[in-house]
Amino acid sequence: KMTGFSPVQFILEIRLLKAYQLLVKRHFLSVSEVRNEVGIESSSYFSSKFTERFGKNPKELLEDF
C-alpha cells in the first residue's frame, strides 16, 4: 500500500532498478546476463518493460556506458 504498486508491480520495479544499476555499472557484458541476474526469463518482456520504465531499451543503455 505504501508504494502504490501491486505486489507484482513492486517486484518488477525492484528487478528493473537492479537491472538498470547493473547495466550502468557494466557488471555484465550482455543484456541477457543482466536479465538472468535479475530473474526475468523472457527477453521480449524484459526489453519492453525496461523501455517502458526508463525510456531506453537495455541494449541502448549498455552501449551508452
Side-chain angles (χ1 to χ4, degrees):
K1 288 184 176 185
M2 293 174 65
T3 63
F5 293 129
S6 72
V8 172
Q9 291 170 321
F10 181 73
I11 292 168
L12 178 60
E13 177 69 10
I14 297 301
R15 288 178 173 173
L16 291 174
L17 289 171
K18 180 67 175 177
Y20 185 89
Q21 291 173 347
L22 292 172
L23 288 167
V24 168
K25 293 180 181 179
R26 306 216 14 106
H27 284 267
F28 294 94
L29 299 176
S30 73
V31 173
S32 62
E33 290 175 318
V34 171
R35 180 177 49 80
N36 289 330
E37 181 69 19
V38 298
I40 298 176
E41 293 182 23
S42 170
S43 60
S44 60
Y45 178 76
F46 176 69
S47 290
S48 68
K49 292 300 182 181
F50 191 94
T51 304
E52 188 179 295
R53 173 63 175 85
F54 298 110
K56 271 191 173 182
N57 78 34
K59 188 173 183 177
E60 290 174 336
L61 188 64
L62 186 62
E63 291 170 355
D64 286 350
F65 291 94

